Amino acid sequence: MPPKRTAGQRVATDDDVDELSNKRPKVGNDAPDPLRTPHHFAAEAEEYGIVLRKFYPPEMSNARARAYNDNEIPRPIEQLNAALEETAEARKNTKVKDVVMHWFKTDLRTADNRALWEASQKAQVAGVPLICIYIVSPEDFEAHLTAPARVDFVMRTLHVLKQDLGALDIPLYVETVEKRKDVSERIVNLMEEWGASHLFANIEYEVDELRREAKMVKLCAERGLTMEVFHDTCVVPPGNLHTGAGKQYAVYSPWFRSWVAHVHANQELLSLFDPPAKNPPAAREKVSALFEYEIPDVPENKKLSEKDVERFRATWPAGEREAVDRLEKFCEEKIVRYGKRRNFPAEAATSSISVHLAAGTLSARTAVRTARDRNKTKKLDAGLEGITSWISEVAWRDFYKHVLVHWPYICMNKPFKPEYANIEWSYNSAHFQAWCDGRTGFPIVDAAMRQMQGVGWMHNRCRMIVASFLCKDLLLDWRMGEKFFMEHLIDGDFASNNGGWGFSASVGVDPQPYFRIFNPLLQSEKFDTDSEYIRKWVPELRGIKGKAIHDPYNRGAAAQAKKAGYPEPIVDHKESRDSALRMYKAGLGRDKP
């Protein structure tokens, strides 16, 4: 019989958190509460689709963002830690019942999966079956701007994962829950129905997920159940690294030195977890019905065309074996030259495992450990330059998640430094559409945007180029680009995407708005010297010879470019640069809450 959908007790979810009420509560003397008053540009953020009001409140004030910094509002990770501390005794005393459950989220692998390993150990000691679940949440995909290509990749991965677990007599039950507010309640109901006393899961660090887990931990305890959560996504868990003054790092270089030293001092952080043990012989019969359920279809709101499905399937095969094969091949063939060749988009010099790190078909721990073991030393910052350079790039993913956990308002449409929210951006729809379509008249920008539209992925150097162009040439709100990336990248990861846009738009950590303005022409000539990348993705320009291809309308190839249907540049870079500097100066000079 299929699992029953019981009414049960309602669970408070992230939707219930009154992060910023639409109604503006008053404080003494009828003055508006600055912590509940929207930012003065909130209307623009809503009008241009930056804040999804279907799921979230208006953009918060700068004062509210600063309240997180000043410890006046608890961070979501602190709420989760408090819930774990509050329920510690109850969780310790919960006895194992009929089965143990593991909840897959962005950890779609059997190997080196801490929560899955812990769940397996608990089940083995108790002599009961381990069962696994995955919840398909169309509203979460919508709220989190998950690209259809990534949803398709996840769903294909679930088919592979189901087979891998099935070989161990472990069922994977996948169900679609239409309303995101019902996910927690549904999981707890399944626990009660199947006789599962313990639920294991790895921690996700975005705001919604941390708040959800905090409430689930307490809800389970109230019902006599236990939810155990584990740090697994990062090599070094967020909160473990501090400056000499005891603060969180906000600049990568000193953070990375601390990260390296911490791993060297705690070598167990690179110890890999074994796959789960095979279920007891009687398990398949005991939970036989769970093996019969099929993986649901991709939600309607994220379906690709049949043509796109085939294209992405060929370009991005799913599953953890594919992830490991890509990693091993990269380490065998390319990693030694990575440091010198990684910035050239025409070359296949990078690992192309970002989609697997985002979906969790490969752990960052496995990636770093595999690269380290190919080096001449066990030190992460010594030995072969290509290996150390690549490890430092993987570490950026840890860094941005550490930033997200300590400064959670960046997950709520705010820049890292709240005062940068006072910059008055343009919302020129024609310019934005030209950028999206790869029709700006700047060949390197257009090539990059077309690559993303074509394969759901973009070279990292090009991500920086197009992001800088959107913000500092077109003067458009960086959050429009951040959103567009998430909606189209198969490797979309909130923390990394937000961090990259913060860097390029000079609104994130270490902003430097007056120095970090990329010249798209110089970037093109330096990193696509032979114009192979442009010729591949901008076919209108393939017939243009020499350096004129980098700027055809200003290097004597205007007639040829125009005849081929390639547009003229939509802005002048020098004029835009000057305008950008004025825009940043004016915005940072505003004294707004």
Side-chain angles (χ1 to χ4, degrees), residues 91-372:
R91 289 184 292 110
K92 180 181 177 182
N93 294 327
T94 303
K95 294 183 179 180
V96 178
K97 295 170 66 178
D98 299 335
V99 298
V100 171
M101 283 175 61
H102 170 73
W103 176 17
F104 280 107
K105 294 181 283 185
T106 50
D107 57 337
L108 302 180
R109 63 186 183 276
T110 60
D112 195 29
N113 183 323
R114 184 180 177 186
L116 180 61
W117 181 85
E118 296 279 2
S120 176
Q121 293 295 299
K122 175 67 75 171
Q124 288 287 302
V125 170
V128 300
L130 169 65
I131 61 178
C132 298
I133 64 168
Y134 180 89
I135 299 297
V136 178
S137 174
E139 283 195 346
D140 276 321
F141 287 150
E142 181 183 355
H144 297 159
L145 309 173
T146 311
R150 182 174 172 185
V151 174
D152 176 73
F153 183 83
V154 167
M155 300 305 290
R156 288 189 284 118
T157 297
L158 289 171
H159 284 276
V160 178
L161 184 59
K162 184 177 178 68
Q163 293 179 351
D164 293 344
L165 291 168
L168 300 172
D169 290 330
I170 301 171
L172 173 63
Y173 175 77
V174 183
E175 179 180 308
T176 299
V177 176
E178 295 295 339
K179 299 295 184 181
R180 67 197 303 239
K181 65 181 179 61
D182 296 335
V183 169
S184 301
E185 177 69 16
R186 182 61 182 147
I187 292 173
V188 175
N189 284 344
L190 288 174
M191 291 178 69
E192 293 180 329
E193 181 177 340
W194 293 335
S197 53
H198 290 73
L199 175 67
F200 289 75
N202 289 314
I203 299 173
E204 294 176 304
Y205 298 115
E206 290 79 11
V207 167
D208 288 354
E209 285 66 30
L210 287 173
R211 287 175 174 161
R212 176 191 63 198
E213 259 75 297
K215 292 175 181 178
M216 284 188 69
V217 165
K218 291 192 284 189
L219 175 71
C220 284
E222 290 169 3
R223 296 200 191 180
L225 308 173
T226 285
M227 181 179 184
E228 300 289 359
V229 295
F230 299 90
H231 292 286
D232 183 69
T233 302
C234 297
V235 175
V236 177
N240 283 17
L241 305 179
H242 300 90
T243 67
K247 297 182 178 181
Q248 294 292 312
Y249 288 96
V251 178
Y252 178 75
S253 295
W255 175 91
F256 180 64
R257 290 192 293 270
S258 179
W259 183 87
V260 168
H262 188 80
V263 175
H264 288 169
N266 299 274
Q267 290 290 321
E268 70 279 2
L269 291 174
L270 291 180
S271 297
L272 308 184
F273 293 92
D274 291 331
K278 192 170 185 178
N279 260 340
R284 185 171 278 272
E285 180 178 349
K286 184 176 181 180
V287 294
S288 59
L290 296 181
F291 288 95
E292 299 174 5
Y293 293 106
E294 298 294 327
I295 305 294
D297 291 336
V298 173
E300 287 295 328
N301 65 341
K302 293 295 177 179
K303 276 193 173 179
L304 294 167
S305 68
E306 290 186 14
K307 182 179 179 180
D308 285 342
V309 167
E310 293 303 317
R311 178 159 50 90
F312 286 118
R313 187 166 296 177
T315 307
W316 305 105
E320 63 183 295
R321 285 188 297 278
E322 173 65 24
V324 172
D325 287 348
R326 285 200 178 206
L327 175 62
E328 292 288 348
K329 185 177 182 180
F330 170 72
C331 289
E332 284 284 347
E333 302 175 0
K334 303 175 184 177
I335 196 170
V336 174
R337 299 177 66 244
Y338 174 79
K340 295 179 179 179
R341 308 311 304 169
R342 66 186 179 89
N343 276 311
F344 298 92
E347 299 185 25
T350 61
S351 64
S352 297
I353 63 167
S354 55
V355 60
H356 294 286
L357 291 171
T361 44
L362 182 74
S363 72
R365 190 169 44 245
T366 294
V368 172
R369 171 69 180 267
T370 302
R372 186 204 69 175

Side-chain angles (χ1 to χ4, degrees), residues 301-567:
N301 65 341
K302 293 295 177 179
K303 276 193 173 179
L304 294 167
S305 68
E306 290 186 14
K307 182 179 179 180
D308 285 342
V309 167
E310 293 303 317
R311 178 159 50 90
F312 286 118
R313 187 166 296 177
T315 307
W316 305 105
E320 63 183 295
R321 285 188 297 278
E322 173 65 24
V324 172
D325 287 348
R326 285 200 178 206
L327 175 62
E328 292 288 348
K329 185 177 182 180
F330 170 72
C331 289
E332 284 284 347
E333 302 175 0
K334 303 175 184 177
I335 196 170
V336 174
R337 299 177 66 244
Y338 174 79
K340 295 179 179 179
R341 308 311 304 169
R342 66 186 179 89
N343 276 311
F344 298 92
E347 299 185 25
T350 61
S351 64
S352 297
I353 63 167
S354 55
V355 60
H356 294 286
L357 291 171
T361 44
L362 182 74
S363 72
R365 190 169 44 245
T366 294
V368 172
R369 171 69 180 267
T370 302
R372 186 204 69 175
D373 289 351
R374 299 298 181 102
N375 208 344
K376 299 176 180 178
T377 172
K378 297 301 181 184
K379 298 289 187 181
L380 300 183
D381 55 351
L384 298 172
E385 190 270 340
I387 293 178
T388 58
S389 176
W390 189 75
I391 288 175
S392 72
E393 290 300 311
V394 176
W396 274 99
R397 302 181 75 87
D398 265 27
F399 173 65
Y400 283 136
K401 284 186 168 57
H402 285 214
V403 170
L404 168 62
V405 168
H406 192 72
W407 290 277
Y409 53 81
I410 66 170
C411 203
M412 307 175 206
N413 305 112
K414 298 296 290 185
F416 174 77
K417 291 189 175 182
E419 59 268 27
Y420 281 70
N422 294 335
I423 296 170
E424 193 165 359
W425 302 97
S426 167
Y427 296 93
N428 185 314
S429 59
H431 280 180
F432 182 63
Q433 193 61 53
W435 180 84
C436 294
D437 295 340
R439 301 278 299 169
T440 67
F442 289 77
I444 190 67
V445 172
D446 295 339
M449 295 303 294
R450 296 183 193 188
Q451 179 185 32
M452 181 168 65
Q453 297 275 26
V455 297
W457 184 85
M458 187 191 296
H459 189 279
N460 189 58
R461 168 56 55 176
C462 295
R463 296 188 195 203
M464 292 189 286
I465 292 171
V466 303
S468 176
F469 184 83
L470 178 123
C471 305
K472 297 170 181 175
D473 282 88
L474 302 183
L475 313 182
L476 295 171
D477 192 325
W478 62 278
R479 297 171 298 180
M480 297 169 68
E482 178 194 28
K483 178 185 177 186
F484 190 81
F485 267 32
M486 286 299 293
E487 292 173 331
H488 291 83
L489 288 171
I490 197 168
D491 64 352
D493 169 82
F494 174 80
S496 294
N497 188 53
N498 177 269
W501 275 93
F503 174 89
S504 296
S506 294
V507 297
V509 295
D510 191 25
Q512 300 186 32
Y514 305 116
F515 305 101
R516 192 180 294 138
I517 298 181
F518 284 13
N519 182 318
L521 177 58
L522 297 181
Q523 292 283 313
S524 183
E525 291 181 321
K526 182 175 182 179
F527 297 113
D528 192 26
T529 306
D530 297 326
S531 62
E532 293 178 34
Y533 183 70
I534 292 173
R535 293 181 197 282
K536 178 177 181 178
W537 294 106
V538 188
E540 308 98 296
L541 301 181
R542 286 175 184 167
I544 295 178
K545 298 179 180 180
K547 292 186 176 182
I549 194 172
H550 298 286
D551 187 13
Y553 281 93
N554 291 302
R555 290 186 174 179
Q560 193 174 353
K562 187 173 183 179
K563 183 178 180 180
Y566 187 70

